[in-house]
């Protein structure tokens, strides 16, 4: 079956969102433009990794430009998107592999999310990962400005943190890798 590539160049909206309650949430990436909506399902850890890596790629591109770039150092507050996912929410595929690249010629971030390959026959058909091979797995490809990429990363990181239980001492989200809380560790201010 031929590959379906859902391509968005500077979409009106590109967000990470959830359906369900913390502990039982489903995570989605959603791109939309001109009445077209594409939603793909992924894991919470994939959302977190994508957002963190976007921040790293943007910081590196900004550093290499010597500060002479259109990439903002932080997400512009006027572009923040806190609206829920657009409806209808129809999953095109479950994400398996993701890739990022900074396109310095066009000054944009390219995000690719490729469908999960579930059997050996499909895996053999997808020899060339992240190419336009017509027999590969379905893919969502989005090109974002630096500002829109920062906004996506901020929302995604906030979304992941929102599902964490708060510390009973300081009320900050508990980090699964450890939480340094002055009150919990016996420190007093």
């Amino acid at each position: 079956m031929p590959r379906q590539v859902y391509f968005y160049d500077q979409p009106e909206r590109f967000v990470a969102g959830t359906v369900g309650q913390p502990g039982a949430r489903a995570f989605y990436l959603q791109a939309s433009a001109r009445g077209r909506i594409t939603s793909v399902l992924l894991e919470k850890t994939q959302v977190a990794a994508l957002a963190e890596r976007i921040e790293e790629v943007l910081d590196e591109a900004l550093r290499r430009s010597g500060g002479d770039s259109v990439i903002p150092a932080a997400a512009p507050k006027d572009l923040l998107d806190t609206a829920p996912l657009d409806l209808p929410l129809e999953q095109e595929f479950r994400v398996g592999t993701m890739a990022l690249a900074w396109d310095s010629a066009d000054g944009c971030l390219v995000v690719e999310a490729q469908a999960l390959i579930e059997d050996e026959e499909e895996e053999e058909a997808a020899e060339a990962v992240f190419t336009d091979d017509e027999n590969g797995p379905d893919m969502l490809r989005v090109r974002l400005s630096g500002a829109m990429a920062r906004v996506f990363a901020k929302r995604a990181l906030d979304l992941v943190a929102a599902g964490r239980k708060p510390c009973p001492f300081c009320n900050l989200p508990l980090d699964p890798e450890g939480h340094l809380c002055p009150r919990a560790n016996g420190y007093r201010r």
Side-chain angles (χ1 to χ4, degrees):
M1 184 168 176
R3 157 188 274 192
Q4 175 71 39
V5 177
Y6 303 91
F7 179 66
Y8 290 84
D9 191 0
Q10 306 302 326
E12 294 163 9
R13 188 168 192 229
F14 181 61
V15 295
T18 61
V19 173
Q21 297 299 314
R25 296 184 295 173
F27 287 78
Y28 291 89
L29 294 180
Q30 189 175 73
S32 59
R34 295 180 294 282
R36 184 172 66 115
I37 301 169
T38 303
S39 304
V40 297
L41 182 69
L42 70 168
E43 298 295 325
K44 177 181 178 178
T45 55
Q46 290 175 301
V47 172
L50 177 62
E52 290 166 3
R53 187 68 183 122
I54 285 173
E55 289 288 346
E56 291 170 6
V57 168
L58 293 176
D59 290 345
E60 179 63 18
L62 185 59
R63 186 190 66 74
R64 286 185 180 199
S65 74
D68 187 31
S69 175
V70 295
I71 303 168
K77 292 186 189 287
D78 60 324
L79 296 179
L80 290 176
D81 182 348
T82 58
L85 294 169
D86 291 327
L87 298 176
L89 185 61
E90 296 174 3
Q91 170 189 326
E92 299 300 336
F93 58 84
R94 176 180 285 276
V95 175
T97 308
M98 295 182 292
L100 290 176
W102 178 254
D103 181 343
S104 56
D106 290 338
C108 67
L109 183 77
V110 180
V111 178
E112 293 183 347
Q114 186 170 286
L116 180 66
I117 300 168
E118 296 187 13
D119 64 31
E120 290 181 27
E121 289 178 20
E122 288 180 14
E123 194 168 331
E124 289 174 12
E127 293 172 356
V129 176
F130 296 106
T131 67
D132 289 322
D133 178 7
E134 65 183 43
N135 295 319
D138 290 351
M139 178 189 301
L140 171 63
R141 179 179 293 147
V142 182
R143 295 171 54 85
L144 303 168
S145 67
M148 192 165 191
R150 287 277 190 208
V151 166
F152 170 86
K154 167 123 178 61
R155 175 181 169 143
L157 289 171
D158 289 349
L159 182 71
V160 170
R164 295 186 188 145
K165 293 180 182 177
C167 171
F169 299 99
C170 70
N171 210 32
L172 292 173
L174 291 171
D175 189 334
E177 295 178 12
H179 179 69
L180 298 177
C181 174
R183 292 183 186 166
N185 292 325
Y187 297 111
R188 303 238 184 247
R189 290 184 188 182

